[in-house]
Amino acid sequence: MLKNLNWPRLALVTIAAVLVAGFCRRQYGSDWFEVSAFITGVIGVYLAAVEHLLLWPISIVNVLIYAWVFYTGRLYADMTLQFFYFALCIHGWWSWMHGGAKETELKISRLTPKQWGLAVVAVVVGTAIYTPLVAHYKGSAPFVDSLLTSASIVAQILLNRKVFDNWIMWILIDAAYVPLYVSRHFEATAILYFLFIVLAVVGLVNWRRLERDTDAVTAT
């Protein structure tokens, strides 16, 4: 996967992320942790959209930074989500490399209707568990924070397994996160999640093309 990376395009994405992050720091007073998380977040989602293995080490750095950012903002469900993400990044790194048949590179797949049902049930159960815990520790927006945290865990697991439908979930999740972060005065992170929506759409379109290309090669 490394040989397929468009380095000039990655450089442009990185420069754009740095410029927007700099604007957020000047305009909203975002601290350096949030700015760093912003930049690594944009790069990570771009790498996921183009199905590149560098996604995982960049994501590990990103989740460690965001764990601190969300702790300081009392978004405790989101904070704990970063530790789930850390473990899932390790798993995803291995899975993309060896998760296919006979430990080969993992291929893109799709959820069946039954699997979609199980995903929804997992989100509901996760929300029911998280909400009273977050409320007990006086976290902000307990239900919304818990719902989005649970949905994010499920979406990340789907990304780990290269399931195409993860992008549909991320588009919905990221759209809901934008107003939550605005309400907590994480303006840079709100802008980041708006960019995540755009990158998730790019990922959906790109993975669909990669899926068609793989099917065409298999057919021949």
Side-chain angles (χ1 to χ4, degrees), residues 12-192:
L12 288 174
V13 169
T14 302
I15 291 169
V18 170
L19 291 175
V20 176
F23 167 80
C24 291
R25 177 161 173 78
R26 289 193 305 272
Q27 185 71 22
Y28 304 115
S30 303
D31 65 28
W32 285 110
F33 286 103
E34 190 179 3
V35 166
S36 300
F38 182 102
I39 295 169
T40 53
V42 170
I43 295 171
V45 175
Y46 169 76
L47 292 169
V50 297
E51 197 191 4
H52 197 276
L53 198 62
L54 280 177
L55 152 70
W56 300 112
I58 294 295
S59 295
I60 287 172
V61 173
N62 178 259
V63 300
L64 291 175
I65 298 171
Y66 260 129
W68 175 254
V69 171
F70 292 138
Y71 171 75
T72 60
R74 296 192 303 113
L75 290 172
Y76 299 133
D78 276 341
M79 181 193 71
T80 59
L81 175 60
Q82 304 313 304
F83 295 106
F84 278 109
Y85 276 164
F86 181 85
L88 288 173
C89 284
I90 300 299
H91 171 264
W93 199 341
W94 181 91
S95 182
W96 277 33
M97 294 177 64
H98 307 294
K102 298 181 180 179
E103 296 194 359
T104 57
E105 180 184 330
L106 195 62
K107 304 300 181 185
I108 296 172
S109 62
R110 291 190 182 236
L111 289 181
T112 64
K114 180 179 179 180
Q115 289 169 332
W116 261 114
L118 291 173
V120 171
V121 169
V123 172
V124 171
V125 171
T127 303
I129 293 172
Y130 255 120
T131 300
L133 291 174
V134 176
H136 175 74
Y137 289 103
K138 303 186 185 304
S140 301
F143 174 75
V144 175
D145 190 18
S146 299
L147 172 63
L148 295 179
T149 295
S150 301
S152 295
I153 292 172
V154 173
Q156 182 64 37
I157 291 172
L158 297 183
L159 176 60
N160 279 25
R161 296 302 304 166
K162 272 195 186 178
V163 178
F164 173 85
D165 310 77
N166 88 88
W167 294 115
I168 298 172
M169 290 193 67
W170 281 126
I171 290 169
L172 298 173
I173 292 166
D174 295 340
Y177 263 128
V178 171
L180 175 63
Y181 290 139
V182 169
S183 73
R184 298 304 304 154
H185 304 293
F186 288 147
E187 288 85 0
T189 302
I191 293 173
L192 172 63

